[in-house]
Amino acid sequence: MVLAPLPDPGPPSLAVAPEPCPQPLRSPSLDNPTPFPNLGPSENPLKRLLVPGEEWEFEVTAFYRGRQVFQQTISCPEGLRLVGSEVGDRTLPGWPVTLPDPGMSLTDRGVMSYVRHVLSCLGGGLALWRAGQWLWAQRLGHCHTYWAVSEELLPNSGHGPDGEVPKDKEGGVFDLGPFIVDLITFTEGSGRSPRYALWFCVGESWPQDQPWTKRLVMVKVVPTCLRALVEMARVGGASSLENTVDLHISNSHPLSLTSDQYKAYLQDLVEGMDFQGPGET
């Protein structure tokens, strides 16, 4: 069932955003990677992932009742906002990503009505942005939204969500630190590939006891830089040959790294991270 609208006083702490940023330029071609021979730890190119204001690229995919209806790649310093209408509050931070009307892809009138109700309750949207090594989320409308970090192909619907996106304050939804630790373990041949896809269930409870395809609106957000790091680990293996990775962040160039260089940069990156949770001291 779609949750009923709640009173919406609006988040008092959100700052006014500058003019919306334009659609991102795509990253340079992998045909001409930039080599980084003999870089020392102080020149670790992976540290750009943590630079304030560095634009991460997000691939956003929306599903209505399990059917993919939308996919777009977004890059903006203020992050993004999932909204249900093109007529939104442009003073809110984040690039607005408008989810499509269900009439364009669904035929069941009842389901269309329910999906439209969910989209209308998004209000100011579902905001997602990066600060430091964390990804943060906050809902700016009525819709309760649950999230989990799962595989790219499908959400972890057999278990409960990792949390609910808070309304009146930001909430941490992804910590880069444990991801890099798991990635190092993965490059060493033990452990599973770390998960990095954020799944959001909008307007309904998490599909813990049902197929996720029964939910009206599910949205997957993939930070493409994390996908690239995992792919580099898979391709590199124990090979001493150089492999190419494109971080898909602003002003980045594809990097040519050996497996040993890659592991050294990951280790150097993780040594400077904070492993306390958000808000802990």
Side-chain angles (χ1 to χ4, degrees):
M1 295 293 294
V2 179
L3 297 176
L6 299 174
D8 185 16
S13 60
L14 288 175
V16 174
E19 287 297 317
C21 61
Q23 288 296 94
L25 295 174
R26 303 300 298 175
S27 299
S29 170
L30 294 179
D31 295 334
N32 297 295
T34 302
F36 283 82
N38 303 321
L39 284 176
S42 62
E43 302 172 87
N44 184 347
L46 301 186
K47 287 187 175 181
R48 293 194 56 193
L49 292 167
L50 301 178
V51 173
E54 194 72 70
E55 298 178 15
W56 280 25
E57 182 182 85
F58 298 97
E59 180 187 88
V60 181
T61 310
F63 303 84
Y64 297 162
R65 277 292 179 93
R67 176 182 295 182
Q68 181 177 323
V69 297
F70 174 88
Q71 187 172 76
Q72 188 175 8
T73 301
I74 301 296
S75 179
C76 195
E78 293 80 35
L80 59 89
R81 279 186 301 117
L82 300 175
V83 296
S85 171
E86 293 182 1
V87 182
D89 188 347
R90 292 281 178 171
T91 65
L92 293 174
W95 182 265
V97 179
T98 305
L99 301 181
D101 184 87
M104 301 173 61
S105 55
L106 303 181
T107 57
D108 187 309
R109 293 184 180 274
V111 174
M112 280 193 285
S113 176
Y114 283 125
V115 171
R116 284 180 178 134
H117 177 67
V118 171
L119 298 181
S120 69
C121 291
L122 276 171
L126 175 65
L128 178 71
W129 69 97
R130 182 188 68 87
Q133 70 186 58
W134 278 87
L135 293 178
W136 301 85
Q138 182 176 351
R139 64 182 179 93
L140 309 177
H142 305 314
C143 270
H144 288 258
T145 300
Y146 298 87
W147 65 274
V149 179
S150 303
E151 304 285 351
E152 272 207 58
L153 294 180
L154 73 166
N156 193 17
S157 56
H159 303 278
D162 291 335
E164 179 178 1
V165 178
K167 185 180 190 307
D168 295 323
K169 62 179 182 179
E170 66 274 7
V173 294
F174 189 89
D175 183 359
L176 186 61
F179 170 85
I180 297 297
V181 171
D182 290 344
L183 187 59
I184 292 172
T185 303
F186 182 61
T187 62
E188 294 171 347
S190 58
R192 68 178 185 185
S193 173
R195 298 179 175 184
Y196 52 84
L198 280 162
W199 285 84
F200 297 92
C201 181
V202 183
E204 297 178 282
S205 61
W206 184 260
Q208 182 171 347
D209 301 317
Q210 286 184 305
W212 72 275
T213 53
K214 297 293 184 181
R215 288 298 181 259
L216 293 169
V217 179
M218 296 284 292
V219 179
K220 177 179 67 173
V221 180
V222 174
T224 56
C225 61
L226 304 186
R227 175 194 283 159
L229 291 176
V230 171
E231 287 302 316
M232 179 68 175
R234 287 175 176 155
V235 172
S239 172
S240 61
L241 300 177
E242 287 190 347
N243 291 287
T244 299
V245 58
D246 188 344
L247 295 180
H248 296 278
I249 57 178
S250 55
N251 303 313
S252 67
H253 297 278
L255 312 177
S256 290
L257 304 173
T258 66
S259 178
D260 287 342
Q261 283 178 315
Y262 185 53
K263 292 176 184 178
Y265 289 148
L266 289 175
Q267 189 63 50
D268 177 59
L269 180 65
V270 82
E271 287 174 358
M273 288 184 167
D274 180 5
F275 285 87
Q276 294 180 326
E280 295 180 3
T281 56

